[in-house]
């Protein structure tokens, strides 16, 4: 069957996603975690393409990999003295946290296999035009709200980070000489 | 669920495992940035579900639209959260969530 | 005419065909642009280029809006009577089931009149403000607010649905709050703004409750969802099915000069189902079948057509079918007709916005704002929004004589009650404020007794003469401003306790430019102000040949003959109260005129400092005074001309469909008698004012003797019947008491519960610790680890660590999802 190669590719991508996610979760070095996140995000983008969601896949690459991940790397580098081992300490004993998570995941998997899901696979077709149409019709309000939220987040981030920058400035200038 | 025929199950399994790893990251990491990465994992798991359901159940683009919204929200959230992380770092000189837990007891 | 259909119609409805009015959206949009520019960039513009730019922008957008309003109004006039409805659909907003809510502006005769009032008087007051506010630092902020107000008011007036009206309703409330507290550095003024805002919230609550009642009673059938997918559309969920009735507009069946296009009888489609659009609501409530029965109001069957829509395009037409209605009039809530409750809710909203009993208390305090604001918002436009709403919903109120009686009686009571308070006020703006409350009462009487056009006519004339009065008082205050800096010019001036409210003092404050006791003899110093003020006083007092006479007299006459209230006696009661109120009105208005402009010769300080206001202000006064006289032409009574008043004929199509019982026939002799009586009463009021206030030398002793005699009564009335104190003692103290009680509950009970939970956690942790220590030690290490983990966890639920919270949330959500799936009974 010609399904086999595509199935193999799927398993490959799924493995990439999960292994990288494992890296995010368990790596001792925060920088390694950040780079492992790259694998996960790219893998998920691949899965989107597999599902015929071309626009979402590309958006995932551009926004997550191009934007958020870079932001995270910046944050890591700005806030971390590399080599400081203490920051990678685990918050709670890993085992105590893992048990409920394990049970939850087992429950979810059980749920997945118990449910008779419908199996009407949609034909793969370019979705960008249809998505755009949906954004300007059914999802107009959420779409506009999203733009407002992005703006607010932008302003909020600038305000918060700027205050931090000003504090920094004051630290260097304890007698407030340059403020006047 | 056959191995060669990739169906909805496969995606849901990947998504569930991704969710579990994300929750684990959120639970165990003491570094605030790592915490954020865990949140991104969780969001990606949810997104994967949305797109998979759109593909296999809905047959339209509603699920994908939600996925795009979630990506947008994740971007906004990352920007604000990292600004907060920076602010916390200026104040505490660390982003260890144990050290910044001043509300404790 | 998109809604016009051709075909046989067995139904008649109150709505006529519509015409496109492509310019309508500009009327609110232009002031909004002005408000946005002035609000965002105003500060920089003013710093950079001076106040001229702000004035040009603020007045310019209003001028443009007024031009558009006038053009649209002429477009409206050019249409044949019965078809005068311009509709401008701007955006589709919400469509759920059969409910379709668009951003639609509608101009018919009623909203056209209101648009002219708001834009033209608004423009005049903007011009006046350029002079009045010229020395204020926050000039830009003022004009931004004022433009925003006009925007909101136009949304209220032109909006075709309850939602848009409510948007405007809240918007004008917000602007009113902003402008009353414009000088927010003054604690008292800021507080007055908050008072207005909060009292208005009570009314708005009524508005919403009324709307919910109405919507609920109309609803029940959400077409679309429960019907099978429309033929031809498959299972497309975005397609909606709309039911409608083809009906002939009422005017066509009346046999008036109504023609459809192409000379054939034209019909309109009346959409059924829950709606918030005025037009659709009116179409439904005025629907009559061939036998004259109203199926939706009285109950009955309606043969409906249905149409499937996707987006705005009709796709498939399906078979006609029949719907059975139970009838709105038969619907009861707690044993009370739902129509009555809905109308009562709307009237509560109207009485908040329009300052009627019991919610009138905010309006006198609202005089803290700049005087042009008092003229525009708190006299001419915003406070009339309630009257406009009742007139707009005439078809609804007409269905409930009980509600109409409430409106008329409350209006009459307010008209009389507020007039008595106005008698002894010394603050010139307070006199005008109470007079506004009183005149609004007359308007409510007009719309309450079913004479809608008179209510609106009084609204129109009142807008002109009261704006003129307020701006005249503003001109006087502007002239008297010097006393703030040079107190004690002719009065010994006692030291006053600053904490004592101004109104409770019987002695004048010499530094108060608004106190009429500090004025007197300004006639020669401010001639233009004086003459325009006098003309407006004549108009409001109801002397013939000035506009107030025609509107007020018609209201009194209609109240005397109305048959629309639950009992004929109610009309007579309303008439009595209103007639007494008219006498009081004439008295206190001329009292204010004499005290301000005559009474005594001007003092030296007055002659030195007081001078006529700048051209921009006097010009507006003259324009408004002219309007106050000229508007009479619209309402010359039938008794004089032989035909119905011009304005009545103009507004007739709006109100024609209301199910009224009508007015008793009155002989010409009775009509002449009532008219002469009201003239005599007005003249009597003026005469009494002259007797006591014409000249200090001659009348002061007379006045003092009278005051002495009725000292207790005077004190009660002077203190406004202690209503504010009453509210403070009941409502405010009640609220504070409730707050204290809740605080106690929070402190003692909730905190106790929280502490108890914490204590339980600690005990659990302690137990876990003990178990761990004594029983498990060395036995099963795995179990011990888990117990230690959960023990730690329980002990420190409040960790302050973000990880724990996020972890808890995530695992909790998963757990809930699993429980909901595997044990569906648990969560139900």
């Amino acid at each position: 069957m010609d399904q086999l190669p595509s199935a193999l590719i799927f398993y490959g991508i799924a493995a990439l996603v999960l292994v990288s996610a494992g890296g995010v979760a368990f790596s001792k070095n925060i920088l390694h975690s950040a780079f492992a996140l790259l694998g996960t995000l790219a893998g998920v983008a691949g899965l989107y393409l597999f599902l015929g969601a071309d626009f979402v896949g590309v958006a995932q690459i551009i926004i997550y990999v191009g934007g958020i991940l870079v932001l995270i790397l910046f944050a890591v580098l700005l806030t971390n003295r590399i080599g400081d081992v203490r920051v990678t300490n685990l918050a709670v004993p890993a085992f105590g946290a893992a048990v409920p998570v394990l049970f939850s995941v087992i429950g979810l998997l059980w749920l997945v296999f118990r449910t008779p899901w419908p199996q009407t696979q949609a034909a793969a077709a370019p979705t960008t035009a249809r998505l755009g149409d949906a954004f300007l019709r059914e999802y107009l309000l959420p779409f506009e709200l999203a733009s407002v939220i992005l703006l607010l987040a932008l302003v909020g981030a600038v305000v918060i980070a700027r205050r931090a920058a000003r504090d920094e400035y004051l630290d260097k200038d304890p007698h407030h000489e340059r403020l006047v | 669920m056959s191995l060669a025929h990739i169906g909805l199950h496969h995606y849901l399994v990947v998504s569930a495992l991704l969710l579990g790893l994300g929750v684990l990251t959120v639970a165990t990491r003491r570094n605030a940035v790592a915490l954020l990465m865990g949140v991104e994992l969780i969001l990606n798991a949810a997104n994967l579900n949305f797109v998979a359901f759109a593909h296999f159940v809905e047959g339209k683009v509603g699920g994908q639209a939600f996925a795009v919204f979630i990506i947008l929200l994740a971007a906004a959230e990352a920007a604000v959260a990292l600004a907060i992380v920076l602010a916390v770092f200026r104040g505490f000189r660390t982003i260890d969530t144990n050290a910044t837990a001043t509300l404790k007891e | 005419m998109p809604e016009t259909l051709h075909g046989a119609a067995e139904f008649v409805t109150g709505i006529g065909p519509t015409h496109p009015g492509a310019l309508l959206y500009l009327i609110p949009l232009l002031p909004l642009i002005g408000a946005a520019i002035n609000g965002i960039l105003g500060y920089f513009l003013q710093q950079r280029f001076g106040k001229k730019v702000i004035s040009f922008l603020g007045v310019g957008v209003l001028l443009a809006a007024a031009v558009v309003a006038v053009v649209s109004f002429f477009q409206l006039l050019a249409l044949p009577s019965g078809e005068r409805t311009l509709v401008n659909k701007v955006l589709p907003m919400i469509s759920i089931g059969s409910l379709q809510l668009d951003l639609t502006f509608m101009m018919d005769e009623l909203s056209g009149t209101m648009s002219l009032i708001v834009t033209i008087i608004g423009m005049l007051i903007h011009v006046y403000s350029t002079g009045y506010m010229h020395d204020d630092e926050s000039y830009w902020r003022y004009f931004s607010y004022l433009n925003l107000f006009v925007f909101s008011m136009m949304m209220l007036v032109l909006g075709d649905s309850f939602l848009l009206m409510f948007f405007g309703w809240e918007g004008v409330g917000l602007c009113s709050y902003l402008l009353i507290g414009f000088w927010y550095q003054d604690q008292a003024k800021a507080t007055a703004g908050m008072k207005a805002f909060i009292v208005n919230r009570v009314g708005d609550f009524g508005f919403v409750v009324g709307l919910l009642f109405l919507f609920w009673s109309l609803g029940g059938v959400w077409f679309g969802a429960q019907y099978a997918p429309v033929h031809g559309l498959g299972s497309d969920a975005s397609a909606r099915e709309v039911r409608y009735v083809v009906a002939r507009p009422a005017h066509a069946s009346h046999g008036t000069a109504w023609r459809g296009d192409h000379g054939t009888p034209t019909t309109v489609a009346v959409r059924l189902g829950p709606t918030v659009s005025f037009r659709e609501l009116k179409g439904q409530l005025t629907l009559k079948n061939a036998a004259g029965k109203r199926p939706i109001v009285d109950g009955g069957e309606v043969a409906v057509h249905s149409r499937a829509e996707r987006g705005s395009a009709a796709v498939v037409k399906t078979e006609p079918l029949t719907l059975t209605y139970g009838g709105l009039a038969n619907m009861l809530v707690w044993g009370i007709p739902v129509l009555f409750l809905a109308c009562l809710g709307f009237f509560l909203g109207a009485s908040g916005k329009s300052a009627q009993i019991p919610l009138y208390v905010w309006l006198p305090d609202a005089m803290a704002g700049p005087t042009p604001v008092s003229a525009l918002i708190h006299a001419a436009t915003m406070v009339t929004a309630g009257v406009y709403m009742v007139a707009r919903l005439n078809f609804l109120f007409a269905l409930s004589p009980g509600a109409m009686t409430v409106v008329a009686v409350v209006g009459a009571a307010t008209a009389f009650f507020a007039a008595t308070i106005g008698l002894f006020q010394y603050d010139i703006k307070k006199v005008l404020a109470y007079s506004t409350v009183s005149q609004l009462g007359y308007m409510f009487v007009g719309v309450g007794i079913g004479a809608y056009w008179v209510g609106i006519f009084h609204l129109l004339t009142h807008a002109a003469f009261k704006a003129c009065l307020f701006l005249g008082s503003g001109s006087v205050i502007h002239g008297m401003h010097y006393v703030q800096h040079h107190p004690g010019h002719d009065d010994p001036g006692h030291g006053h306790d600053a904490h004592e409210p101004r109104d409770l003092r019987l002695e004048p404050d010499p530094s108060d430019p608004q106190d009429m006791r500090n004025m007197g003899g300004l006639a020669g110093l401010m001639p233009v102000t004086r003459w325009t003020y006098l003309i407006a006083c004549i108009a409001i007092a109801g002397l013939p040949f000035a506009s107030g006479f025609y509107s007020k007299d018609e209201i009194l006459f209609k109240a005397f003959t109305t048959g629309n209230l639950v009992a004929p006696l109610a009309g007579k009661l309303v008439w009595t109260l209103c007639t007494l109120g008219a006498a009081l009105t004439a008295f206190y208005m001329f009292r204010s005129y004499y005290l301000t402009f005559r009474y005594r010769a001007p003092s030296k300080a007055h002659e030195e400092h007081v001078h006529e206001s700048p051209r921009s202000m006097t010009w507006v006064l003259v324009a408004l005074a002219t309007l106050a006289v000229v508007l009479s032409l619209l309402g010359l009574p039938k008794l004089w001309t032989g035909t119905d008043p011009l304005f009545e004929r103009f507004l007739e199509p709006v109100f024609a469909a209301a199910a009224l019982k009508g007015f008793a026939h009155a002989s010409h002799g009775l009509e002449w008698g009532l008219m002469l009586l009201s003239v005599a009463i007005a003249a009597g009021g003026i005469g009494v004012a002259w007797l006591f206030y014409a000249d200090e030398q001659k009348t002061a002793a007379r006045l003092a003797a009278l005051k002495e005699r009725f000292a207790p009564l005077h004190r009660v009335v002077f203190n406004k019947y202690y209503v504010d104190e009453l509210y403070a003692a009941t409502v405010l103290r009640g609220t504070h008491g409730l707050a204290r009680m809740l605080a106690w509950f929070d402190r003692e009970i909730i905190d106790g519960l929280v502490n108890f939970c914490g204590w339980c956690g600690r005990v659990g942790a302690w137990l876990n610790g003990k178990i761990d220590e004594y029983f498990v030690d060395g036995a099963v290490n795995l179990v011990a680890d888990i117990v230690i983990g959960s023990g730690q966890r329980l002990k420190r639920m409040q960790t302050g660590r973000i990880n724990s919270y996020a972890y808890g949330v995530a695992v909790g959500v998963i757990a809930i999802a699993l429980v909901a799936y595997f044990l569906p009974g648990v969560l139900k």
Side-chain angles (χ1 to χ4, degrees), chain B residues 19 23 25-30 35 42 60 97-98 100-105, chain C residues 236-238 762 795-796 798-807 810-811 814:
Chain B
L19 175 75
V23 175
T25 312
V26 166
T28 56
R29 291 307 197 122
R30 278 170 51 181
L35 202 72
I42 295 176
K60 286 194 291 181
T97 52
N98 268 1
T100 57
T102 53
L103 274 177
K104 174 167 57 181
E105 302 209 341
Chain C
D236 190 343
S238 65
R762 294 182 84 98
K795 197 173 82 179
R796 297 189 289 142
Q798 182 75 32
T799 57
R801 282 205 324 271
I802 195 164
N803 302 70
S804 326
Y805 300 143
Y807 176 68
V811 173
I814 298 174

Side-chain angles (χ1 to χ4, degrees), chain C residues 524-755:
Chain C
L525 301 174
M526 312 181 86
V528 182
T529 309
R530 176 258 181 122
W531 283 112
T532 51
Y533 196 89
L534 181 60
I535 290 172
C537 272
I538 290 174
I540 191 176
L543 288 184
F545 312 115
S547 58
F549 168 73
Y550 302 95
S551 51
K552 195 186 284 183
D553 190 60
E554 190 70 18
I555 288 177
L556 294 180
F557 175 63
K558 292 285 186 198
F560 194 78
T561 58
T562 185
N564 298 320
L565 306 185
V566 283
L569 204 62
K572 302 289 187 291
L573 171 73
V574 165
W575 178 82
T576 313
L577 282 173
C578 287
T579 310
L580 290 176
L584 299 178
T585 306
F587 169 73
Y588 67 68
M589 283 320 299
F590 273 83
R591 170 178 173 269
S592 78
Y593 168 73
Y594 284 128
L595 278 180
T596 307
F597 294 104
R598 322 266 323 182
Y599 201 52
R600 56 169 91 99
S603 67
K604 266 227 166 61
H606 277 352
E607 282 186 344
E608 200 174 309
H609 295 284
V610 180
H611 45 82
E612 185 59 278
S613 300
R615 196 73 60 79
S616 60
M617 290 162 74
T618 52
W619 182 84
V620 171
L621 288 176
V622 173
L624 284 171
T626 316
L627 265 183
V629 177
V630 171
L631 285 177
S632 323
L633 295 179
L634 292 177
L636 293 179
K638 192 178 178 183
L639 200 59
W640 295 9
T641 59
T643 54
D644 283 331
L646 210 59
F647 200 60
E648 181 177 9
R649 274 179 288 150
F650 174 65
L651 282 183
E652 202 251 337
V654 182
F655 305 122
L660 291 173
K661 293 199 203 79
F663 299 90
H665 184 73
S667 68
H668 279 206
L670 178 65
E671 212 170 322
W672 274 113
L674 288 176
M675 191 180 281
L676 289 178
L677 179 67
S678 62
V679 174
I681 269 182
I686 296 171
V688 175
W690 179 81
L691 204 60
F692 288 112
Y693 294 101
D695 189 346
E696 190 178 25
Q697 306 286 326
K698 298 175 192 157
T699 59
R702 228 180 278 162
L703 186 65
L706 194 75
K707 262 189 201 163
E708 191 73 18
R709 227 168 133 187
F710 295 102
L713 187 65
H714 177 256
R715 179 165 279 279
V716 170
V717 176
F718 184 73
N719 288 318
K720 300 169 273 184
Y721 299 102
Y722 298 102
V723 169
D724 276 326
E725 285 75 10
L726 181 74
Y727 280 6
T730 54
V731 180
L732 286 187
R733 270 192 45 200
T735 316
H736 285 164
L738 187 67
R740 267 198 300 278
M741 218 170 76
L742 288 176
W744 176 84
F745 186 77
D746 186 41
R747 212 166 42 235
E748 304 293 329
I749 310 284
I750 308 267
D751 284 6
L753 276 176
V754 172
N755 287 340

Side-chain angles (χ1 to χ4, degrees), chain C residues 238-257:
Chain C
S238 65
R240 303 178 311 118
E241 198 179 344
V242 175
R243 302 282 151 110
Y244 63 94
V245 171
V246 177
R248 182 179 295 118
H251 269 64
S253 64
H254 283 174
T256 54

Side-chain angles (χ1 to χ4, degrees), chain A residues 2-179:
Chain A
D2 58 342
Q3 272 180 345
L4 195 62
S6 77
L8 284 180
I9 296 174
F10 171 82
Y11 288 123
I13 296 179
L16 170 69
V17 167
L18 294 177
V19 170
S20 311
V24 174
F26 301 119
S27 165
K28 288 277 179 223
N29 188 323
I30 182 78
L31 210 53
H32 293 175
S33 285
F35 281 112
L37 189 61
L38 170 66
T40 308
L41 296 177
V44 171
L47 290 183
Y48 289 156
L49 296 182
F50 240 82
L51 286 166
D54 47 357
F55 181 80
V56 184
V58 174
Q60 168 96 358
I61 296 281
I62 294 176
I63 298 177
Y64 260 116
V65 180
I68 299 177
L69 195 64
V70 173
L71 262 182
I72 288 179
L73 281 174
F74 261 115
V76 167
L77 295 176
L78 278 174
T79 59
N80 223 7
R81 289 155 218 142
I82 300 181
D84 186 352
V85 222
R86 294 172 53 98
V87 285
T88 59
N89 277 2
L90 300 176
V92 288
F95 193 67
V99 171
V101 171
L102 199 62
F103 278 121
S104 301
V105 171
I106 290 173
L108 283 178
L109 291 180
W110 187 26
L111 187 155
V112 166
F113 287 110
R114 234 186 65 147
T115 313
W117 301 108
Q119 288 288 4
T120 55
Q121 192 156 350
T127 57
T128 311
R130 284 193 291 156
L131 257 180
D133 201 48
F135 279 140
L136 292 182
R137 281 181 204 278
E138 291 137 281
Y139 301 108
L140 184 60
L141 184 65
F143 187 64
E144 294 299 335
L145 280 181
S147 64
V148 174
I149 286 175
L150 277 178
L151 177 66
L152 288 182
L154 197 68
V155 176
V158 168
V159 168
I160 296 170
R162 191 165 151 263
R163 187 180 303 141
R166 204 174 52 218
D167 293 348
E168 179 85 334
Y169 182 72
L170 288 182
D171 283 348
K172 285 182 188 154
D173 178 27
H175 302 296
H176 302 254
E177 282 158 1
R178 280 185 292 166
L179 263 189

Side-chain angles (χ1 to χ4, degrees), chain C residues 226-404:
Chain C
Q226 74 270 46
Y227 289 90
V230 187
H231 170 69
L233 287 180
S235 58
D236 190 343
S238 65
R240 303 178 311 118
E241 198 179 344
V242 175
R243 302 282 151 110
Y244 63 94
V245 171
V246 177
R248 182 179 295 118
H251 269 64
S253 64
H254 283 174
T256 54
W258 188 89
R259 286 170 292 100
D261 49 342
H262 317 305
T264 50
T266 307
T267 53
V268 292
V270 179
R271 287 173 69 129
L272 299 175
T275 178
V276 289
S277 151
F278 295 128
R279 208 181 127 71
E280 288 172 12
L281 187 66
K282 184 177 182 185
Q284 290 184 21
L285 291 188
T286 57
L287 198 67
K288 273 186 195 154
N289 62 17
K293 268 198 75 171
R294 298 167 296 183
I296 295 181
V297 176
D298 304 324
E301 287 196 335
V302 188
V304 299
H305 306 262
S306 60
R307 186 169 59 165
E309 289 180 353
R310 186 203 269 135
S312 59
V315 182
V316 177
K317 208 165 180 177
T318 59
E319 296 297 305
L321 58 105
T322 305
L323 285 178
T324 309
Y325 276 91
L328 272 184
N330 311 325
M331 239 171 169
L332 299 179
V333 178
W334 310 310
I336 306 170
V338 71
L339 280 176
F340 179 70
L341 285 177
C343 290
L344 215 56
F346 285 126
F347 179 60
L348 182 62
S351 66
K353 188 84 12 192
S354 296
Q356 297 296 292
I357 292 175
L359 299 179
Y360 70 90
V361 287
W362 65 270
L363 187 57
D365 287 24
M367 296 304 132
T371 304
V373 168
S374 308
L376 177 62
I377 302 187
H378 305 119
T381 54
M382 182 191 87
V383 289
T384 61
V387 183
Y388 171 74
M389 176 175 76
V390 177
R392 167 61 68 213
L393 297 177
N394 60 79
F395 50 88
L396 181 68
F397 275 84
L399 294 175
S400 175
M404 291 188 66

Side-chain angles (χ1 to χ4, degrees), chain B residues 33-65:
Chain B
V33 180
L35 202 72
L36 195 67
M37 295 187 208
V39 174
E40 301 298 345
L41 288 187
I42 295 176
L43 288 175
N44 266 287
N47 252 353
L48 193 56
N49 262 6
F50 267 117
V51 176
F53 278 114
H55 185 66
F56 286 104
V57 181
E58 189 204 19
K60 286 194 291 181
V61 294
Q64 295 188 20

